[in-house]
Amino acid sequence: MNKITKTFKKLKEFIRALKGNIPEITIKSTEHGIFCGFKNDYLFKQAIENGIHEPHFVELIDNFLLPTDIALDIGGNIGTHAILLSKKLSKGHVYTFEPQSLVFSILQNNLLLNSCENVTAYRFAISNKDHSTISMQPFTFNKKSINNAALQIDLDGAMGDFTLTRSLDSFKFKKVSFIKIDIQGSEVMALQGAKDLILKQKPVIFIEIEEQYLRDLGTSTKELLETLFSLNYALYRIEVNYPCDYICVPNDKASSFEDTVLNKLSFQTSKKIFGKSAKVTFAKNTDQIYEKLEII
């Protein structure tokens, strides 16, 4: 048996050993679109099984956005939200941002599969600085599960999946009506880099707040809430089984928004959260969602 034959035999044995542990890429059609993704990725499975993992997001944009609006999707992941926004904003435009290289490739593929001509995708990490090089956590696979939605900035900078940062203010977007932000702890920096846009255009913001991700990047739920307060925004927590999503509205428009939008929604929200500072209490140090919130 020559060396080439031996090598080929070893390669086949290696592939057989991996069988069942290799991520399987598949394409599925749902009521909300066609999605390509890894079969055992959490977000992809939610999109396939439930149409989308956040049905309250679908209901919110259906009751709030107009076809001509412009929306920003910060943390695009595989494109579930961008595709929904694309369909809703048939005469408008969606700008979606995803910094992780492999996930961005899947996002681009899903935009093509769904003919999203009104979506522009950028591979930038949205932050408070422009053109800084940062490292993202790499794609990982641990046999049975994948969760691309949990990938964060790698503060040690040693992982090697490099990307550039951009602030939203640097894009000079006009007439933005809606911003969705879900970026695993980088939310405070994203808001700091969008101060001019937010103060001038006053978009409604749909944001995720999870303590551990924020803490991992040196911020906190308290700091994120107070950043929104400083921009003169009021918040409404969406009361689902895992209440980490918030609808944020300029405080001077809150009463009108409650009458015209919130009262039409089937899901429950908290009363308006607004003030200057916040005291946040967690039942356990490892909890993502606060147990008690006091507004000062």
Side-chain angles (χ1 to χ4, degrees), residues 208-212 221 237 241-246 280-284 286-292:
E208 182 179 85
I209 302 178
E210 291 184 285
E211 175 69 10
Q212 191 57 54
T221 298
R237 186 164 79 162
N241 291 336
Y242 184 68
C244 65
D245 292 329
Y246 293 72
V280 186
T281 305
F282 296 88
K284 294 183 293 184
T286 55
D287 282 353
Q288 287 273 59
I289 308 301
Y290 61 74
E291 181 182 46
K292 186 178 180 181

Side-chain angles (χ1 to χ4, degrees), residues 15 21 28 32 43 52 56 66 95 103 111 119-121 139 143 152 155 162 171 190 192 194 207 225 250 288-289:
I15 292 172
N21 293 330
K28 296 284 187 180
H32 294 302
L43 194 60
I52 187 174
H56 50 273
L66 300 174
Y95 297 90
V103 181
L111 295 177
V119 179
T120 301
F139 166 83
K143 295 184 179 180
Q152 294 178 278
L155 291 180
F162 294 111
F171 285 89
Q192 290 170 344
I207 194 167
L225 290 171
Q288 287 273 59
I289 308 301

Side-chain angles (χ1 to χ4, degrees), residues 53-94:
H53 73 297
E54 293 171 341
H56 50 273
F57 179 84
V58 182
E59 189 175 352
L60 173 63
I61 66 171
D62 281 346
N63 281 277
F64 171 66
L65 290 176
L66 300 174
T68 54
D69 282 338
I70 293 174
L72 309 182
D73 175 28
I74 315 303
N77 205 268
I78 66 173
T80 50
H81 294 77
I83 291 166
L84 286 167
L85 289 166
S86 174
K87 292 179 178 181
K88 178 66 179 180
L89 308 183
S90 57
K91 297 179 181 179
H93 204 88
V94 182

Side-chain angles (χ1 to χ4, degrees), residues 50-190:
N50 303 317
I52 187 174
H53 73 297
E54 293 171 341
H56 50 273
F57 179 84
V58 182
E59 189 175 352
L60 173 63
I61 66 171
D62 281 346
N63 281 277
F64 171 66
L65 290 176
L66 300 174
T68 54
D69 282 338
I70 293 174
L72 309 182
D73 175 28
I74 315 303
N77 205 268
I78 66 173
T80 50
H81 294 77
I83 291 166
L84 286 167
L85 289 166
S86 174
K87 292 179 178 181
K88 178 66 179 180
L89 308 183
S90 57
K91 297 179 181 179
H93 204 88
V94 182
Y95 297 90
T96 184
F97 299 83
E98 173 52 52
Q100 208 280 341
S101 58
L102 177 62
V103 181
F104 183 74
S105 296
I106 299 171
L107 164 65
Q108 288 179 303
N109 195 45
N110 284 331
L111 295 177
L112 289 171
L113 286 171
N114 290 275
S115 301
C116 296
E117 296 180 359
N118 61 339
V119 179
T120 301
Y122 293 104
R123 195 171 88 82
F124 290 119
I126 295 302
S127 188
N128 54 0
K129 296 180 181 179
D130 291 311
H131 305 120
S132 293
T133 302
I134 62 169
S135 179
M136 297 298 300
Q137 290 178 338
F139 166 83
T140 57
F141 172 62
N142 58 355
K143 295 184 179 180
K144 292 184 179 180
S145 64
I146 302 170
N147 188 3
N148 284 323
L151 295 176
Q152 294 178 278
I153 291 174
D154 167 40
L155 291 180
D156 295 330
M159 295 299 185
D161 187 16
F162 294 111
T163 189
L164 291 176
T165 63
R166 287 286 299 271
S167 67
L168 289 180
D169 282 342
S170 71
F171 285 89
K172 308 298 181 184
F173 291 121
K174 304 295 183 184
K175 299 180 180 178
V176 174
S177 301
F178 183 76
I179 305 177
K180 167 244 163 184
I181 309 177
D182 181 359
I183 46 178
Q184 307 309 108
S186 297
E187 288 82 4
V188 172
M189 291 180 287

Side-chain angles (χ1 to χ4, degrees), residues 190-206:
L191 291 171
Q192 290 170 344
K195 185 176 180 180
D196 289 346
L197 184 159
I198 291 170
L199 291 176
K200 290 176 183 177
Q201 301 183 39
K202 298 185 176 183
V204 166
I205 301 171
F206 179 93

